[in-house]
mmCIF file of all heavy atoms in Angstrom:
data_model
loop_
_atom_site.group_PDB
_atom_site.id
_atom_site.type_symbol
_atom_site.label_atom_id
_atom_site.label_comp_id
_atom_site.label_asym_id
_atom_site.label_seq_id
_atom_site.Cartn_x
_atom_site.Cartn_y
_atom_site.Cartn_z
ATOM 1 N N PRO U 4 55.048 -29.171 53.840
ATOM 2 C CA PRO U 4 54.383 -28.818 55.090
ATOM 3 C C PRO U 4 52.920 -29.242 55.023
ATOM 4 O O PRO U 4 52.345 -29.354 53.943
ATOM 5 C CB PRO U 4 54.521 -27.304 55.163
ATOM 6 C CG PRO U 4 54.628 -26.862 53.750
ATOM 7 C CD PRO U 4 55.322 -27.985 53.021
ATOM 8 N N PRO U 5 52.302 -29.454 56.175
ATOM 9 C CA PRO U 5 50.905 -29.911 56.168
ATOM 10 C C PRO U 5 49.966 -28.832 55.647
ATOM 11 O O PRO U 5 50.212 -27.645 55.804
ATOM 12 C CB PRO U 5 50.628 -30.222 57.633
ATOM 13 C CG PRO U 5 51.655 -29.481 58.393
ATOM 14 C CD PRO U 5 52.843 -29.324 57.499
ATOM 15 N N TYR U 6 48.905 -29.279 54.997
ATOM 16 C CA TYR U 6 47.849 -28.367 54.557
ATOM 17 C C TYR U 6 46.804 -28.340 55.655
ATOM 18 O O TYR U 6 46.239 -29.368 55.999
ATOM 19 C CB TYR U 6 47.237 -28.842 53.236
ATOM 20 C CG TYR U 6 46.341 -27.806 52.624
ATOM 21 C CD1 TYR U 6 46.884 -26.788 51.853
ATOM 22 C CD2 TYR U 6 44.986 -27.826 52.832
ATOM 23 C CE1 TYR U 6 46.078 -25.806 51.305
ATOM 24 C CE2 TYR U 6 44.170 -26.856 52.293
ATOM 25 C CZ TYR U 6 44.722 -25.842 51.523
ATOM 26 O OH TYR U 6 43.919 -24.879 50.992
ATOM 27 N N LEU U 7 46.571 -27.190 56.239
ATOM 28 C CA LEU U 7 45.702 -27.080 57.402
ATOM 29 C C LEU U 7 44.346 -26.494 57.046
ATOM 30 O O LEU U 7 44.252 -25.577 56.233
ATOM 31 C CB LEU U 7 46.349 -26.181 58.459
ATOM 32 C CG LEU U 7 47.695 -26.635 59.010
ATOM 33 C CD1 LEU U 7 48.248 -25.585 59.946
ATOM 34 C CD2 LEU U 7 47.555 -27.961 59.704
ATOM 35 N N LEU U 8 43.322 -27.036 57.650
ATOM 36 C CA LEU U 8 41.996 -26.450 57.649
ATOM 37 C C LEU U 8 41.615 -26.218 59.095
ATOM 38 O O LEU U 8 42.095 -26.907 59.988
ATOM 39 C CB LEU U 8 40.974 -27.388 56.996
ATOM 40 C CG LEU U 8 41.159 -27.675 55.514
ATOM 41 C CD1 LEU U 8 40.106 -28.666 55.041
ATOM 42 C CD2 LEU U 8 41.073 -26.399 54.691
ATOM 43 N N MET U 9 40.749 -25.246 59.328
ATOM 44 C CA MET U 9 40.315 -24.950 60.690
ATOM 45 C C MET U 9 38.860 -25.372 60.854
ATOM 46 O O MET U 9 38.035 -25.109 59.980
ATOM 47 C CB MET U 9 40.446 -23.467 60.976
ATOM 48 C CG MET U 9 41.875 -23.010 61.007
ATOM 49 S SD MET U 9 42.012 -21.260 61.371
ATOM 50 C CE MET U 9 41.438 -21.239 63.043
ATOM 51 N N LEU U 10 38.575 -25.996 61.978
ATOM 52 C CA LEU U 10 37.224 -26.388 62.335
ATOM 53 C C LEU U 10 36.777 -25.522 63.501
ATOM 54 O O LEU U 10 37.376 -25.562 64.572
ATOM 55 C CB LEU U 10 37.192 -27.870 62.721
ATOM 56 C CG LEU U 10 35.895 -28.415 63.284
ATOM 57 C CD1 LEU U 10 34.766 -28.246 62.284
ATOM 58 C CD2 LEU U 10 36.067 -29.871 63.655
ATOM 59 N N LEU U 11 35.750 -24.707 63.264
ATOM 60 C CA LEU U 11 35.232 -23.817 64.298
ATOM 61 C C LEU U 11 33.809 -24.219 64.632
ATOM 62 O O LEU U 11 32.997 -24.462 63.735
ATOM 63 C CB LEU U 11 35.231 -22.364 63.816
ATOM 64 C CG LEU U 11 36.573 -21.757 63.443
ATOM 65 C CD1 LEU U 11 36.382 -20.340 62.908
ATOM 66 C CD2 LEU U 11 37.497 -21.731 64.633
ATOM 67 N N GLY U 12 33.524 -24.285 65.914
ATOM 68 C CA GLY U 12 32.180 -24.606 66.361
ATOM 69 C C GLY U 12 31.565 -23.442 67.109
ATOM 70 O O GLY U 12 32.262 -22.615 67.670
ATOM 71 N N ASP U 13 30.226 -23.387 67.113
ATOM 72 C CA ASP U 13 29.545 -22.354 67.882
ATOM 73 C C ASP U 13 28.782 -22.982 69.046
ATOM 74 O O ASP U 13 28.767 -24.202 69.194
ATOM 75 C CB ASP U 13 28.638 -21.492 66.991
ATOM 76 C CG ASP U 13 27.509 -22.271 66.346
ATOM 77 O OD1 ASP U 13 27.140 -23.366 66.841
ATOM 78 O OD2 ASP U 13 26.963 -21.789 65.338
ATOM 79 N N LYS U 14 28.152 -22.158 69.841
ATOM 80 C CA LYS U 14 27.470 -22.637 71.047
ATOM 81 C C LYS U 14 26.284 -23.536 70.731
ATOM 82 O O LYS U 14 25.899 -24.358 71.544
ATOM 83 C CB LYS U 14 27.026 -21.455 71.902
ATOM 84 C CG LYS U 14 28.185 -20.719 72.515
ATOM 85 C CD LYS U 14 27.723 -19.561 73.363
ATOM 86 C CE LYS U 14 28.945 -18.841 73.902
ATOM 87 N NZ LYS U 14 28.602 -17.771 74.810
ATOM 88 N N SER U 15 25.715 -23.408 69.549
ATOM 89 C CA SER U 15 24.569 -24.245 69.183
ATOM 90 C C SER U 15 25.000 -25.605 68.630
ATOM 91 O O SER U 15 24.159 -26.429 68.322
ATOM 92 C CB SER U 15 23.684 -23.523 68.168
ATOM 93 O OG SER U 15 24.382 -23.333 66.957
ATOM 94 N N GLY U 16 26.311 -25.804 68.480
ATOM 95 C CA GLY U 16 26.816 -27.095 68.003
ATOM 96 C C GLY U 16 27.107 -27.156 66.516
ATOM 97 O O GLY U 16 27.614 -28.157 66.029
#
Side-chain angles (χ1 to χ4, degrees):
Y6 191 83
L7 300 175
L8 295 177
M9 293 181 67
L10 173 60
L11 299 177
D13 63 21
K14 291 180 182 184
S15 65

